[in-house]
Amino acid sequence: MSEDVAVVIPYFQRSPGILSRALSSLAGQDFTGRVSVLIVDDGSPAPADPEVGRVSFGENYRIKLIRQPNKGPGAARNAALDELPSAFRYVAFLDSDDEWLPTHLSSAVKALSCGFDVFFSDLLQWGSSVPLFQRSNFVASSHGRNLPPNAHHFAFEADIFDQTIRLPVIGTSSVVYDFYKFPELRFRPEYRRAGEDMLFWLDLAAAGARFVLSNEVEAVYGRGVNVYAGVTWGSAESIERLSNELLYRRVTLKEYPLQGEQRTYLRRCIAELRKDVSLVLLRRILNLSGLPLASVHRLIRSDPGLLPRVPFLLLLAIFELFAHHARRLKDVER
């Protein structure tokens, strides 16, 4: 069995110097197998070429730069998956503003070689000194069994659907999976700002993938200000993000084998997202910012059930806005 790894990096950054940090962490892996690095420059304002040239890689690395017009992170990852070298069994994802600890690839391959299909690990998110698992009260030993002799590897035996929709702990930059078993699986490119990674994990689970995890921090998330995540609340982009989240939740409710409580939970999430949409629209109206009609059209198209509810939701949003200001006045008076 081949233990070679292909690393997929979607790249769109507004500032230079970010990608080179991610690549340095990749070049510093203690993994001894072959590594094929596929960097997809997704129409980035700060081009990838000089970033790649700053990093020295070992002889076991092969670097390929793919260029395309901006299409979003899912489409960028798909472009790399479509060009994977046939000899590379495992695929690892690394976002361009994130970094790996030196043992990440060797840890993942060792865990996957025990008969598993998808690996993920604990991670540190930007601005936090507390790992994601701890912040989420996620205890690996309560979700599966340990895999001796490695004290940090656990077979995930709980409900991956429940974990993903209620309290996601799978970070994209910690994932490595067996591409040979799921060669046709791709990200859904229409989700440019939210949900494309969650649906990919759910698609893997629905296809019968076995998940294994490490409870060690193996990835550190950065602060790269990119088109995928850099969204200001109330902006036109935030409407698109809410549209993607609504569609992601509705698709999850429709396409996957869920239990009754999970369906109830998703319906509550959809109701909250619809309320958030109303708050954003109301804020833009009150601020005389105008409504981005193209984004609103996409939002309504992604959730036709939203339109009849808009008047009620706007009234609810106005009530909550006044209630918020009333609470702030009380705090000032104290």
Side-chain angles (χ1 to χ4, degrees):
M1 180 183 69
S2 169
E3 292 188 347
D4 299 332
V5 178
V7 181
V8 169
I9 305 176
Y11 175 69
F12 186 112
Q13 292 291 344
R14 296 188 173 97
S15 302
I18 295 172
L19 176 61
S20 59
R21 292 198 296 270
L23 294 177
S24 294
S25 77
L26 172 54
Q29 294 295 297
D30 65 4
F31 182 69
T32 57
R34 291 189 302 165
V35 181
S36 177
V37 184
L38 296 98
I39 304 164
V40 182
D41 188 327
D42 193 38
S44 177
D49 305 66
E51 305 279 320
V52 177
R54 292 192 188 109
V55 181
S56 298
F57 291 92
E59 293 182 357
N60 58 322
Y61 286 80
R62 189 182 80 173
I63 313 299
K64 182 173 184 177
L65 182 58
I66 303 167
R67 297 177 183 85
Q68 67 178 28
N70 178 248
K71 298 179 181 178
R77 294 188 189 106
N78 288 345
L81 293 174
D82 289 341
E83 297 198 27
L84 284 183
S86 59
F88 287 74
R89 181 184 192 103
Y90 299 121
V91 171
F93 296 116
L94 177 62
D95 284 351
S96 60
D97 54 340
D98 300 338
E99 298 175 55
W100 285 339
L101 271 67
T103 58
H104 175 60
L105 288 182
S106 57
S107 170
V109 169
K110 185 178 293 185
L112 290 168
S113 66
C114 295
F116 295 91
D117 308 311
V118 184
F119 171 90
F120 66 96
S121 73
D122 201 356
L123 55 90
L124 273 176
Q125 293 174 307
W126 169 255
S128 176
S129 59
V130 180
L132 175 62
F133 287 4
Q134 183 178 339
R135 290 175 60 217
S136 304
N137 294 317
F138 176 85
V139 180
S141 58
S142 67
H143 290 76
R145 56 186 171 83
N146 179 239
L147 300 174
N150 194 315
H152 299 289
H153 287 170
F154 291 82
F156 189 92
E157 296 175 335
D159 186 344
I160 193 67
F161 292 100
D162 195 74
Q163 188 69 54
T164 302
I165 65 175
R166 290 179 189 266
L167 192 61
V169 292
I170 303 179
T172 305
S173 289
S174 78
V175 171
V176 184
Y177 81 105
D178 189 336
F179 180 79
Y180 281 7
K181 292 187 179 178
F182 311 96
E184 306 300 324
L185 191 61
R186 294 293 185 274
F187 289 87
R188 307 190 193 198
E190 65 271 26
Y191 296 81
R192 291 174 62 93
R193 297 191 181 274
E196 93 286 345
D197 49 354
M198 300 301 175
L199 289 170
F200 194 82
W201 320 143
L202 293 175
D203 285 340
L204 282 166
R210 298 182 63 204
F211 287 70
V212 61
L213 65 98
S214 168
N215 65 0
E216 280 197 314
V217 171
E218 297 187 11
V220 178
Y221 276 28
R223 194 192 176 185
V225 182
N226 57 57
V227 73
Y228 311 139
V231 175
T232 303
W233 179 257
S235 65
E237 291 80 6
S238 71
I239 296 176
E240 186 177 351
R241 183 181 182 91
L242 287 168
S243 174
N244 285 180
E245 286 195 42
L246 267 169
L247 186 56
Y248 151 60
R249 293 296 190 180
R250 292 178 66 245
V251 165
T252 303
L253 191 61
K254 179 180 178 181
E255 293 188 7
Y256 299 102
L258 305 175
Q259 300 172 3
E261 289 184 2
Q262 294 167 344
R263 293 181 176 279
T264 301
Y265 174 81
L266 284 170
R267 290 189 182 99
R268 286 201 304 269
C269 289
I270 291 168
E272 287 297 318
L273 284 167
R274 285 170 172 163
K275 193 193 309 181
D276 289 344
V277 168
S278 301
L279 284 168
V280 171
L281 296 177
L282 180 63
R283 176 175 175 173
R284 291 188 66 85
I285 292 169
L286 293 176
N287 292 344
L288 303 179
S289 304
L291 294 177
L293 296 181
S295 297
V296 172
H297 175 69
R298 283 194 294 271
L299 175 63
I300 293 172
R301 190 173 57 188
S302 69
D303 183 20
L306 176 64
L307 190 57
R309 295 175 171 85
V310 166
F312 168 74
L313 291 171
L314 281 173
L315 286 173
L316 183 61
I318 292 170
F319 173 79
E320 292 197 354
L321 191 64
F322 276 112
H324 173 70
H325 283 296
R327 286 193 296 269
R328 288 185 64 183
L329 285 172
K330 278 190 176 181
D331 290 340
V332 170
E333 289 172 358
R334 288 175 187 169

